[in-house]
Amino acid sequence: MFYTKRQEIVQSVSHAALCCFGMLAGSLPLFAAAPEEITSFRRDVMPVLFRAGCNSGTCHGSARGKDGFMLSLFGYDPKGDYERIVHEMVGRRVNAAVPEQSLLLLKAIGAVPHTGGKLFARDSDYYKTILRWIAAGTPDDSGTVPETVKLVLSEERLVFGKAGLGTTLKATALASDGSTRDVTRLARYFSNNESVAKIDSDGRVVATGPGDTHVFARFSRFTTGVETIVLPSEAGFVRPNPQAFNFIDTLVFDKLQKLRIAPSELCDDATFLRRVTLDLAARPPTVEEFKAFTSDNRPDKRAMKVDSLLKDEAFASLWAAIWAEQLRVMGGNYAPVSTDVKAADAYYQWIRKQISVGRPLNEFVSEMVTASGSNLTNGPVNLYTMLVHKPQFEPKAFAADFSQLFLGVQIQCAECHNHPFDRWTMDDYYGFVSFFTGMKRKPGIEPRERRIYCDTTAAPARHLVDGRPMPAKVLGSIDPVKAGGDPRKDLAEWLTSPSNDLFSRNLANRIWAQLLGRGIVEPVDDVRASNPPVNGPLLDALSKRLVDSKFDLRTLVRDICNSRVYQLSVRPNPSNLRDTRQFSHAHLRRLRADVLLDSVVAVTGVPRRFSGFQEGTRAIEYYPRLSGSTEGPSHGDPFFATFGRSSRATVCACETKKEPTLSQTLHMAVGDTVRDRLDSGGVVKKLLESKTHPDQIVEILFVRVLCRQPTPSEKAAMRDLVGAAAGDQAVYEDILWSLLNSTEFAFNH
Amino acid sequence: MKNRCLQMASLPAVVFQAVALCLSLIWITPADAAMFLHIEKITPRMGQRGTTVEVIIQGACLNDPREIVFYKPGIKALRVESMPKLAHPIGLAHGGRIEDQVRCQFQIAPDCAPGEYPFRMRTATEVTSIGTFHVSPFPVVDENEKGYNSNDTIQTALAVVPNVTVRGRMGPSGRGDIDIYRVPAVAGQRLTAEVDSVRIADVHYGGSEYDLAIRILDETGQEMASNDDNSLHLQDPMAAVKLPRNGFAYVEVKRSIFVPDDREYCVHIGTNSRPLAVFPPGAQAGTTQKFRFMGDPLGEFTETVKVPSQTGTFDYYRDAPSPLSMRSSPYPNILEETDAIVTRVGQLPAALNGIINTREDTDTFGLSVKKGDRLRIRVFAATLGSPIDPVLRLRPVTVDGKPGPIEWEVDDSALPDRDIFGTSFRSRGGLKDILDPSVVWDVKTDGYYHLEIQDSSGSGGSTAVYRIEVEQAPDSVHTFLASTAFDWMECIRTSGLAVPRGNRWTVNVNVQQGQGNSYRGDLNLVAHGLPAGVRMVSSRIPAGRTFWPVQLVADDSAQPGSALITFEAKPVDATRPFESRSQQQIPFINHSGGDAWRTVKLDRYVLAITDPAPFSIEIQAPPVPLVRGGELAIPVKIKRRPGFNEAIEFQCDWIPAGVGIQPALIIPAGATEAVLKISGEANAPLGPCPMVVVASTIREGLDAYLGTGRVRVSSEIVNLMITEPFVELTSAPESVRRGAHQRYVWKVQHKSPFEGTAQVKLLGLPKGVNVVDPLPILSKDSREIAFDIEATGEALLGSVRGVSCEVIVRAGGQEIRQRTGSGTLRIDPK
């Protein structure tokens, strides 16, 4: 039996959907073939090939086909598929004289050897459909069949009270002529997490364990998902009522409520101070900051600290570092790649300035998108030199990276076929590429300079399948932008428009992920129908907040940091122990490589030099400056390679790695980063010279490194360790070494 | 490599500076041959006009200096004298070294225009590579910073009083050197700061260490103005503000990119005006007009300017240390009608002037033209320092008044299209002209056209001025001396004009057609400015030649001295209007491959009459022609002055395509004769052709190709006749069995007559195949010849291609060898 609450939800959603279909069905003809109608290749046969998996990537849909027979992946090229089935091997794949002897059928039913095995039975509807079509003379129906424009499932959300419960989804396709069709038996289904819910080939969903996931149906080029929640046992669960600090808490707790998960408690002041200082200023708090904050009794001191840190120039440096990674800012001296250090610095300084002055993020992006001119004097134009580090500008590679970066959408699959797990078609792809086919680089006045411009006479991209010129059009649009002039202006307007939620949700999600360690859509740059947000209303709200604040980064960061969700403890409770994606408690986050290095420097008081940069440069202000080409991946500094700073080889968010590794542990233990700084003895020496009491030195070191006082047991242990050697610098350096090598130091918690 | 100790304490101050400059470079021994220039360093780089400045010129081969020759009036060099050699030469990145020093006084005239003054030095035996010196309108003081970070803050700023030029140094500090200057501030007054760094750089190889940025700060450190690069001075920054209050303001100079290196710069700190653009950016030559000056912090102003009567680009300085560039043209101005969509141009030729006000702005001019018009349309925008990167577009206007499709669109120009030659550097050498379109339009039909101008860089704004000069395409040819050395380093061997008294010297002068030139005939060269006792020898330049040997002969009566000369190319048979200019471009701050940041542009050449050479060289015009496919041996004779017995190097520096020469040869010490062999390829140009041999002393340890430090002379120019080959021999494929004889027949086709008989040899036979004597004899009556060949039992089996004949004709007292034919011979088994 379904959970009662769910029934309400399902009923209401189903009702709305069915009403909609009912209206359409009442006014427009169905496009399912009536028995007396001629079987259609596109309408009837292609879906069978799709459903049976014939045109999947592992079978005949692979780029080279399979066993000598190729189909377009998931059917993006019906015309080509028709040619290959009917004309490529005349009389074999389809046999008009004896339709039953067509290889297409014999293979599918396993009557002859078939690598893919038996796909359906001789008495199945699938078999009959294809047989009818062959018997009718394999008619081609190019241009006569309405296109599918949407796929709708009978439920929008499923909530199961316990494992083992189930229901069946109905899939309905909407056609371009307004008609509808039940495609439940033609769609393909999958679940994002089968340990929560499974879905079979008939659309039957079965709950398998507590948690939340999505199940999906795919038909034609559409994938539609249903949020599926399987509730844990109610036994022992106490419904909490934590105070919501702002809208974020309301939306997160609402979701947790539905999942029977209680959020953790608030973290203590010291933990908050360290967390927010690392997150906003990319360093641990100083001893003075610790004392001031922990002794501050004002109720709004956390919000005030957030405000204070948001004004810190380090906030701009940190976010400039994040953007510079994503935008692949690197400088070299190999002129053909157009990424001279001077150009890279012009770009980096421009990015940093925009963050520093609080430039609205939509304007920030828009200026880059529409930029032209010198790579040396017009920083933002380096979007067109840095995003793809190549001697020649490559519109396709650029368009793919552009989409991934600014929309979180990976459209590159659609270069060769319609996107298998999203709505993007090849038309979308090539139309999008055409925004950049006119982008050119030309030599400038001096060797380091390249001038970027839009050649408005350049031809648009051509469709891979039929060579059609594809004028520039924004993703999801049917009509191209107006012809003539630089199309990037239209692109920028669409991209950064408040109404383009692809853009604002992408930004909001990335900002959230930066502060919470995980995106609401994760990975943050793989937004697709089959990878929906774990809390849609939350992402919508964050996106709206970003738009309402005129794309102000600090506003959203402030809201997030002021939320109770951000300030939750890492310590879980029984109900949220296994939650890894609904933000019911804080998660341990290894510090970014640059933040970790700056933290070591801040704690030890000994600076770190970076090749190509002047003394005093912080790690978060560093980007690779190379001698040579920037075409390859580069961390620029060995520390960054070890600790997973982005190599800038691609725009993928996965380039920034936060996983701990053995080499990191070894580097901190015996590498020169910590060792050299301890050897120079600055901090400990000063403390000893100031005649500070040994207990106090230990306390200062704890606060300095971990932003907390030692526990009584730690104090006792340290006292034993210091013992009679209270004046021995080496003992305190050992303590400092131990603290720096603790996971507590390397992680934000 | 041998390291040497640096005895800095014993060196004079200027040497200390040089040493400091080059600490990161290597020490070399004199045996390390590399790329040498004469002048490697000049200290100081700048002086105030109206003063006399002591200048130290350092480099190599500067012993026995005689004179400094400036290209422009305004500076005289007095008391040019040698200083002691450096005890330890300083090696430089390009391979040259500093070991010689010359001290002199530069007397700068009070009315000397600010800017760059290129010069060369005449020594007893040479004209040196280029050197430059700069002039400021302001008093010049030195920064004299202690260490590298002693004036990095407002608190430690060096106090200066405008108007002043500070000669500063950007040091190699790991913290990055910052130089801050404190200036008294008067509310409402203008404060201007301009840096000369790249523009005063005189190194061949360099990079971002020269790239500086500037800020003007108030007393709290708040930035009032800043600049890194700009369209007027490229990498050299400039900034100006209207001061908000009394007190102090601060000028901060630092590097754009951290490069821990030591380099000199100058910063001009003044109250002078600093307009960024002038409109219109030019006017009719010789007229006096009002111009709008825009971009100054105190606001736009107008001023009346007398336009020079000489046409071309001219500099207008007002009170500033750097100019605005303007155009003087022989035709009137048309100004953009800002309220009209199209500005109609009444009459051509004309100069069309406007401003690209916004990023989207397109200015349109309506032109009426006639079929057969040949118009050169040349934009001057970036060239003059405008921030835009213009694109020019032409559309015919249809009968209903609507603009039609684009007939042509032009963006950048190749430098030759801007009449700038000798700059085949990989990059554009800091020459902004390339951003401006220049096109020759052959009008095909009468009609009314729209000429549109746009900016492709999105830099439109109030100072984005442009000027389009539309005129009948002129006939023009440009002469220039181009360096052919690696990375376009100055090659004094091929482009220096030092003529020993009583001797002669020959250089190859490049000749290139200007954009739009329609004259295709022969040319004569005329030298202007030759000093007494010097004459030029140059035969008529056949049409199509792009370089030609030009000889300068100094009589015994010629007095040691120098002159600025030009070579003018004139049509041999035309009285038509014809333009010809001389030019030479010298790149600085180069990168591997010839990526120069800046170029010193010269419009004349320094010719020097040097001390008599200790030898002369002679060749005789060959009495027989060089045949295509043949070789010729030419005797070379050296006349030595008594007591001069050194070895001498000689070579041909001028050869037309298709004639092969030997590399440089050496006549041993004491010897007076040698032989030069030349060969004619199948494409050698037929007919007479000048030939000349140049010779020089040898100086070990210095790069021979550049030729620094050598005494050079040339032979007279003689005529070489190139003719068709005597005969052409062909054969059918032939075969021979091992152990057998075979008659190998070649058919003879006579091409050029010869007297007597010629011997013929067979070349390229495989191992084991021999010609049996007697060899065939060829006469003018021969129709075929035959060789008796035999193959031994060990002869290599199979087919051999490329068997040819060498024809040896005796004429004019020497053997003329010609190769001809390409046969195939197969060796079969027994």
Side-chain angles (χ1 to χ4, degrees), chain B residues 475 517-526 540-543 569-578:
Chain B
D475 286 329
N517 176 56
S518 61
Y519 177 72
R520 297 288 183 271
D522 293 356
L523 294 165
N524 279 324
L525 276 189
V526 178
R540 173 169 161 157
I541 305 173
K570 286 186 166 181
V572 293
D573 56 354
T575 54
R576 58 205 288 177
F578 199 81

Side-chain angles (χ1 to χ4, degrees), chain B residues 91 121 127 130 169 188 290 317 385 425 438 573 664 666 673:
Chain B
M121 185 190 299
V127 167
I130 202 88
R169 302 198 74 81
K290 273 192 175 177
Y317 280 88
F425 323 140
S438 185
D573 56 354
I666 291 177
E673 291 187 352

Side-chain angles (χ1 to χ4, degrees), chain B residues 206-411:
Chain B
S208 294
E209 64 271 21
Y210 286 97
D211 192 355
L212 306 188
I214 198 168
R215 294 197 302 160
I216 300 178
L217 312 171
D218 68 12
E219 286 170 311
T220 67
Q222 194 70 27
E223 179 182 299
M224 294 190 285
S226 67
N227 183 238
D228 183 357
D229 295 353
N230 59 75
S231 57
L232 281 174
H233 300 157
L234 301 182
Q235 306 92 348
D236 283 349
M238 52 189 283
V241 292
K242 181 181 178 181
L243 293 167
R245 66 187 76 86
N246 293 338
F248 291 101
Y250 296 85
V251 175
E252 176 198 84
V253 182
K254 64 178 182 180
R255 283 200 166 96
S256 299
I257 303 290
F258 172 70
V259 183
D261 218 332
D262 193 351
R263 289 292 182 270
E264 188 174 4
Y265 69 89
C266 291
V267 57
H268 311 282
I269 301 172
T271 57
N272 56 282
S273 62
R274 188 55 271 178
L276 301 176
V278 55
F279 187 82
Q284 190 159 14
T287 60
T288 300
Q289 297 200 19
K290 273 192 175 177
F291 293 86
R292 285 166 53 205
F293 290 82
M294 300 165 294
D296 186 87
L298 296 191
E300 183 178 312
F301 58 89
T302 58
E303 192 164 271
T304 302
V305 176
K306 172 89 168 68
V307 179
S309 54
Q310 185 179 356
T311 59
T313 302
F314 68 97
D315 289 338
Y316 184 67
Y317 280 88
R318 290 194 84 249
D319 54 347
S322 65
L324 284 173
S325 292
M326 301 172 69
R327 293 284 299 169
S328 166
S329 312
Y331 29 76
N333 273 354
I334 302 288
L335 303 187
E336 167 200 9
E337 294 171 20
T338 51
D339 296 336
I341 295 172
V342 178
T343 302
R344 276 187 172 261
V345 179
Q347 194 172 359
L348 295 176
L352 322 178
N353 302 272
I355 299 175
I356 300 293
N357 289 297
T358 65
R359 177 183 178 142
E360 310 295 334
D361 193 10
T362 299
D363 288 356
T364 305
F365 293 88
L367 312 175
S368 292
V369 294
K370 293 200 174 301
K371 179 181 178 183
D373 281 350
R374 191 155 197 266
L375 299 173
R376 187 179 72 183
I377 303 176
R378 185 169 280 182
V379 176
F380 292 86
T383 305
L384 304 178
S386 178
I388 56 173
D389 183 352
V391 177
L392 207 56
R393 194 176 294 134
L394 186 85
R395 297 176 193 269
V397 178
T398 57
V399 286
D400 58 358
K402 292 181 179 169
I406 296 170
E407 184 163 318
W408 49 254
E409 181 179 292
V410 189
D411 186 359

Side-chain angles (χ1 to χ4, degrees), chain A residues 341-342 345 370 372-373 376-377 442-448 451-453 457 488 609 612-615 625, chain B residues 174-175 208 211 228-229 234-235 256-258 359 389 411-412 427-431 435 456-457 595-597:
Chain A
V341 172
K342 169 92 170 177
D345 207 60
T370 56
S372 298
L376 303 185
T377 58
K442 61 181 182 181
I445 298 167
E446 54 120 313
R448 302 173 303 172
R451 289 183 162 252
I452 315 302
Y453 67 102
T457 64
R488 294 178 302 156
R609 283 294 305 271
F613 287 81
Q614 64 200 47
E615 290 169 15
R625 288 180 177 177
Chain B
R175 287 157 52 189
S208 294
D211 192 355
D228 183 357
D229 295 353
L234 301 182
Q235 306 92 348
S256 299
I257 303 290
F258 172 70
R359 177 183 178 142
D389 183 352
D411 186 359
D412 289 357
S427 69
R428 280 80 179 277
L431 296 164
L435 295 181
S456 68
S457 70
D595 276 342
W597 281 32

Side-chain angles (χ1 to χ4, degrees), chain B residues 597-661:
Chain B
W597 281 32
R598 82 178 192 102
T599 303
V600 174
K601 295 169 71 176
L602 306 171
D603 58 4
R604 282 169 289 177
Y605 313 118
V606 170
L607 178 144
I609 302 161
T610 55
D611 290 354
F615 69 100
S616 61
I617 185 167
E618 290 178 1
I619 58 170
Q620 298 295 322
V624 291
L626 171 69
V627 295
R628 283 179 168 176
E631 282 185 354
L632 208 57
I634 298 173
V636 175
K637 289 185 180 172
I638 298 293
K639 278 190 178 174
R640 295 174 180 273
R641 286 182 184 270
F644 177 74
N645 290 315
E646 293 176 15
I648 291 169
E649 186 178 288
F650 76 97
Q651 64 196 106
C652 261
D653 254 349
W654 191 88
I655 41 158
V659 176
I661 55 164

Side-chain angles (χ1 to χ4, degrees), chain A residues 38-183:
Chain A
I38 295 172
T39 306
S40 157
F41 176 72
R42 284 168 175 77
R43 182 190 59 200
D44 302 320
V45 176
M46 287 293 289
V48 172
L49 298 177
F50 169 75
R51 164 67 183 232
C54 306
N55 57 16
S56 66
T58 53
C59 295
H60 302 289
S62 80
R64 294 178 181 175
K66 196 82 166 179
D67 296 341
F69 178 34
M70 191 194 131
L71 292 169
S72 62
L73 185 66
F74 298 129
Y76 68 83
D77 179 20
K79 183 182 174 187
D81 290 343
Y82 181 86
E83 287 297 310
R84 286 181 282 267
I85 292 170
V86 176
H87 295 139
E88 198 169 69
M89 300 181 77
V90 176
R92 279 178 59 80
R93 287 179 183 152
V94 290
N95 185 337
V98 190
E100 294 82 357
Q101 290 302 307
S102 300
L103 268 184
L104 194 65
L105 289 168
L106 294 175
K107 292 267 186 181
I109 60 173
V112 294
H114 181 216
T115 307
K118 181 179 176 180
L119 301 175
F120 45 75
R122 189 185 295 271
D123 61 351
S124 68
D125 290 343
Y126 308 125
Y127 180 89
K128 290 172 186 169
T129 298
I130 296 177
L131 182 66
R132 267 204 313 275
W133 173 65
I134 297 172
T138 62
D140 189 7
D141 50 8
S142 174
T144 61
V145 178
E147 272 190 49
T148 300
V149 295
K150 193 172 184 181
L151 175 67
V152 179
L153 295 178
S154 54
E155 309 283 352
E156 279 192 356
R157 183 177 301 119
L158 297 173
V159 182
F160 296 104
K162 62 179 181 180
L165 299 178
T167 189
T168 300
L169 294 173
K170 180 183 172 189
T172 306
L174 275 67
S176 55
D177 63 354
S179 60
T180 64
R181 178 188 186 188
D182 183 347
V183 294

